[in-house]
Amino acid sequence: MRQWKPLVASLVVIALAMGALAAWKHLGGAGGARRNADNLPTANLSPGSGAGSGLEYETVPLEELPALDPLGLWPRDGQRISSVDFWVMWQTTGFSKCRLLASSDKRDWYDLGATGGEEHYLPLNIAYFGSQVSFAVEFQAGGIRYRSTPRTVYFGQGAHFASRRQEFTLVDVPNQTFPVTVFGRNPRRLSLDSFTFGFFPEDLVPFVAHGSPREDDDGGDILVGVQDPSAVKGASVGYLEMYDVVTDTYDRTLITLNR
């Protein structure tokens, strides 16, 4: 695992913030989806010490691993993502320690973090890599360590959630709803079929409804609800996916339901 020196860490944080702001202002559609089946290389680029006007890097070898995609790995290869910050999500059949790798050229790879459990989600900021990024996930299944086939996704302007996470507390009221803000599109112009839930228990029945009339072309609220709140025991975490057919873009937000 890389160790970032304080000066380098500060410079990278500043670069990420500036890159995200620039992406929001200037990034447009990424053009047609392009696919690349190149194999993951065996070197990982990691920041080292700062020198002169730039950064110095050291390469850290990656072990050779068999290729296998975990269950439900998202986004899919070639998808257009409508948020600069988005979640990479996947599932494993049992507890697994995983890590997320990302690259702008499929040659130099960065370790973006680790997670453990059965349902996994880690953030990826596409502004750091430009208007497109490739990613891969390492995980364990049946005592064997695997690495997923690299996927490339692209930034595209479209409907996106205002927040990466939502948290709501349920009471004993059927069909209780909560507002979720959408930017980039009047959500009334999105059909309810544009929304999909995942990760929630099977006996939990969430739904989406159109929100208040204050919505305009730049955004508005949708309503997220649960038919029977008694299906939630303690806390339940899932996601809501939104597809904008006009721009052919996707986004997901995490939703935590508490009792």
Side-chain angles (χ1 to χ4, degrees), residues 84-134:
V84 173
D85 293 295
F86 64 92
W87 295 105
V88 176
M89 299 184 180
W90 66 97
Q91 294 175 295
T92 50
T93 54
F95 180 89
S96 175
K97 292 183 178 180
C98 310
R99 72 168 175 171
L100 175 63
L101 304 168
S103 171
S104 59
D105 56 15
K106 291 190 178 182
R107 293 191 301 271
D108 301 322
W109 291 82
Y110 296 83
D111 185 339
L112 297 191
T115 178
E118 297 183 2
E119 296 176 344
H120 308 267
Y121 35 87
L122 284 172
L124 196 162
N125 189 321
I126 200 171
Y128 185 83
F129 300 91
S131 62
Q132 69 181 62
V133 63
S134 299

Side-chain angles (χ1 to χ4, degrees), residues 158-163 166 168 178-190 195 208-224 240 242 244 251 253:
H160 54 278
F161 294 106
S163 175
Q166 326 280 336
F168 307 118
F178 306 91
V180 172
T181 301
V182 172
F183 288 156
R185 180 83 57 214
N186 183 337
R188 287 185 179 273
R189 297 187 178 181
L190 299 173
F195 299 93
V208 170
H210 284 131
S212 66
R214 73 176 182 83
E215 299 154 350
D216 55 36
D217 288 342
D218 294 327
D221 291 343
I222 59 171
L223 298 177
V224 173
L240 173 60
M242 175 171 55
D244 187 342
D251 192 23
T253 184

Side-chain angles (χ1 to χ4, degrees), residues 54-69:
L55 299 175
E56 291 183 356
Y57 297 91
E58 59 177 334
T59 57
V60 179
L62 293 179
E63 61 179 318
E64 295 287 347
L65 295 176
L68 181 68
D69 289 354

Side-chain angles (χ1 to χ4, degrees), residues 155-174:
F155 178 82
Q157 292 178 334
H160 54 278
F161 294 106
S163 175
R164 297 298 89 199
R165 290 178 178 267
Q166 326 280 336
E167 186 167 355
F168 307 118
T169 299
L170 298 172
V171 296
D172 292 326
V173 176

Side-chain angles (χ1 to χ4, degrees), residues 26 49 102 107 133 155 188 192 205 210 224 232 234 247 255-256:
H26 301 297
S49 59
R107 293 191 301 271
V133 63
F155 178 82
R188 287 185 179 273
L192 297 183
V205 184
H210 284 131
V224 173
V232 178
T247 56
I255 296 177
T256 300

Side-chain angles (χ1 to χ4, degrees), residues 91 203 241 252:
Q91 294 175 295
D203 57 347
E241 178 178 304
R252 283 185 179 183

